[in-house]
């Protein structure tokens, strides 16, 4: 798998596929009272949980993403969620929030803009290939020296993202 050390960032070859860095975790639906939740959001992602408040007692974790409120998909980002929450609090003493608990795939790799690639069947050092970067952009990469067909290698895409 790709580590975030400079050797791998330069394209060190690997014979096995990278390990899954983040497991798939089922969403969780939690019931909140019509009171302060104790969550700081950036967009719909939880960035902080305040000790002593509902979210902390319910086990909410930074990195979770709010995806539904009272069983309905959240529309309009954070502003849409806040508006829906106000309506829900006016209508009942409790409301539910469903969180996607799956962390972003390969968080460390995304943070450092390192991605792993499987060299195609016609790979040769210096050959240019196209790939999808962690941010979704299509990038052109060069097969590093020492990498042949079917080998895994790592590429630093920070300078092209």
């Amino acid at each position: 798998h790709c580590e975030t050390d400079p050797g791998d960032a330069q394209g060190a070859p690997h014979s096995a596929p990278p390990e899954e860095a983040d497991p798939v975790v089922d969403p969780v639906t939690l019931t909140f009272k019509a009171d302060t939740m104790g969550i700081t959001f950036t967009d719909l992602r939880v960035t902080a949980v305040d000790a002593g408040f509902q979210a902390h007692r319910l086990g909410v974790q930074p990195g979770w993403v709010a995806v539904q409120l009272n069983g309905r998909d959240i529309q309009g980002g954070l502003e849409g969620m806040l508006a829906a929450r106000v309506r829900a609090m006016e209508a009942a003493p409790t409301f539910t929030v469903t969180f996607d608990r799956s962390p972003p795939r390969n968080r460390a790799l995304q943070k450092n803009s390192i991605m792993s690639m499987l060299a195609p069947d016609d790979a040769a050092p210096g050959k240019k290939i196209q790939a999808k970067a962690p941010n979704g952009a299509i990038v052109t990469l060069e097969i590093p020296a020492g990498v042949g067909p079917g080998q895994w290698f790592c590429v630093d895409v920070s300078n092209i993202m």
Side-chain angles (χ1 to χ4, degrees):
H1 64 98
C2 295
E3 300 293 337
T4 54
D5 69 298
D8 277 350
Q10 300 303 316
H14 298 277
S15 58
E19 295 175 11
E20 294 283 330
D22 296 319
V24 174
V25 181
D26 290 332
V28 64
T29 300
L30 302 173
T31 301
F32 289 86
K33 295 177 185 172
D35 195 3
T36 303
M37 294 171 69
I39 298 176
T40 303
F41 289 97
T42 298
D43 297 316
L44 295 173
R45 184 172 302 281
V46 175
T47 55
V49 179
D50 299 326
F53 287 92
Q54 295 183 78
H56 182 257
R57 290 190 299 269
L58 292 169
V60 176
Q61 297 293 313
W64 290 9
V65 178
V67 293
Q68 291 186 336
L69 194 132
N70 282 344
R72 293 185 173 189
D73 289 348
I74 296 172
Q75 304 293 322
L78 183 57
E79 288 180 12
M81 184 186 77
L82 294 176
R85 185 177 138 215
V86 167
R87 288 190 302 274
M89 289 170 50
E90 290 171 349
T94 63
F95 60 94
T96 62
V97 179
T98 301
F99 293 94
D100 178 352
R101 301 181 297 165
S102 296
R105 277 183 60 91
N106 301 319
R107 183 177 300 186
L109 299 180
Q110 288 179 352
K111 180 179 177 187
N112 296 302
S113 302
I114 306 294
M115 59 187 264
S116 59
M117 298 286 306
L118 179 63
D121 292 340
D122 60 347
K127 179 177 176 151
K128 298 207 183 292
I129 60 171
Q130 288 193 327
K132 191 174 200 176
N135 68 354
I138 301 298
V139 296
T140 301
L141 307 170
E142 190 172 299
I143 301 288
V147 174
Q151 286 185 300
W152 286 94
F153 64 99
C154 297
V155 180
D156 180 352
V157 293
S158 59
N159 60 340
I160 52 179
M161 287 181 30

